[in-house]
Amino acid sequence: MDGAGRDSGNRAAIDEIIRTELGMDAAERFLPLVRPSVGFSARTGSSESGSLIGGLPRTGESFEWPHYRGQPMVLLAQVDCRRAARLLGKDWTLPGSGYLLFFHDDDFAAEFSFDLGDDGCRVLHAAAGSGGPSEGHGPALPALPLEACALPSVPTLADAEADRAVDGDVMALIRLDEALSPLLPTPRHRLLGWCDSGDTPRP
């Protein structure tokens, strides 16, 4: 993912690989499952994406910092919705302005449930502003720019939709994954698309 705003992965080439590996019938069932997403990777230098790991939220002074069991949460990342929306156009289904703010409890001690997920997580949408709150916030992580790119996302062995599309042919999905991997790198962080982890509860 070298450039902000660039589409990583040629969709025509991706479609052709899917048709070659799966055959026409299975490919016609599988192709509609390819979803748009935005992939993010951390950068040590500047980035045009406007998104960050950590830092203080770029919100107005009235922003109320979230707490978990009485303690301020940690801001893990903030995504610039306006710039992310420019990458996906009509396929961006989240707010078109402001920031998505991803918080977690400070010591990651929240209880986890495979049915309900992690109750120490919180995602907030906030209008853009000139700075974050000056008081009452949790420990701030050093701000690290995130590079963003549009990145098609395909289901994997972990997704029942993919299994149905190929009539349970696991080897076909394995071959497809191997063939697509040069065109579809797995980003460190992703919004929208399919889940990249097989051990994460489905939304």
Side-chain angles (χ1 to χ4, degrees), residues 66-84:
H67 286 66
Y68 178 76
R69 298 182 180 176
Q71 298 298 316
M73 301 179 82
V74 176
L75 176 62
L76 299 181
Q78 48 191 315
V79 171
D80 186 328
C81 293
R82 182 178 59 86
R83 297 189 183 187

Side-chain angles (χ1 to χ4, degrees), residues 27-41:
E28 291 308 308
R29 295 190 296 270
F30 192 92
L31 284 168
L33 300 177
V34 180
R35 297 175 176 173
S37 76
V38 179
F40 295 93
S41 58

Side-chain angles (χ1 to χ4, degrees), residues 106-199:
D106 186 16
D107 56 6
F108 285 80
E111 296 178 5
F112 179 81
S113 164
F114 278 101
D115 294 323
L116 301 176
D118 186 337
D119 71 346
C121 300
R122 192 169 303 171
V123 180
L124 303 177
H125 175 254
S130 59
S134 58
E135 297 179 358
H137 60 75
L141 299 177
L144 189 63
L146 287 172
E147 194 77 21
C149 71
L151 188 66
S153 174
V154 299
T156 67
L157 288 168
D159 300 297
E161 295 89 339
D163 186 66
R164 287 194 296 268
V166 299
D167 291 328
D169 189 344
V170 174
M171 293 308 299
L173 289 177
I174 292 174
R175 290 193 300 270
L176 178 63
D177 179 69
E178 292 173 348
L180 288 175
S181 60
L183 287 179
L184 293 177
T186 301
R188 184 67 180 88
H189 313 282
R190 188 195 300 270
L191 271 181
L192 305 178
W194 295 88
C195 184
D196 294 308
S197 171
D199 60 358

Side-chain angles (χ1 to χ4, degrees), residues 49-115:
S49 78
S51 300
L52 297 171
I53 292 286
L56 289 175
R58 299 165 174 153
T59 62
E61 293 181 1
S62 62
F63 175 74
E64 293 186 15
W65 197 278
H67 286 66
Y68 178 76
R69 298 182 180 176
Q71 298 298 316
M73 301 179 82
V74 176
L75 176 62
L76 299 181
Q78 48 191 315
V79 171
D80 186 328
C81 293
R82 182 178 59 86
R83 297 189 183 187
R86 285 201 320 232
L87 291 175
L88 295 190
K90 63 180 179 57
D91 292 321
W92 176 256
T93 57
L94 298 169
S97 62
Y99 288 85
L100 288 176
L101 307 175
F102 296 81
F103 291 90
H104 206 286
D105 68 291
D106 186 16
D107 56 6
F108 285 80
E111 296 178 5
F112 179 81
S113 164
F114 278 101
D115 294 323

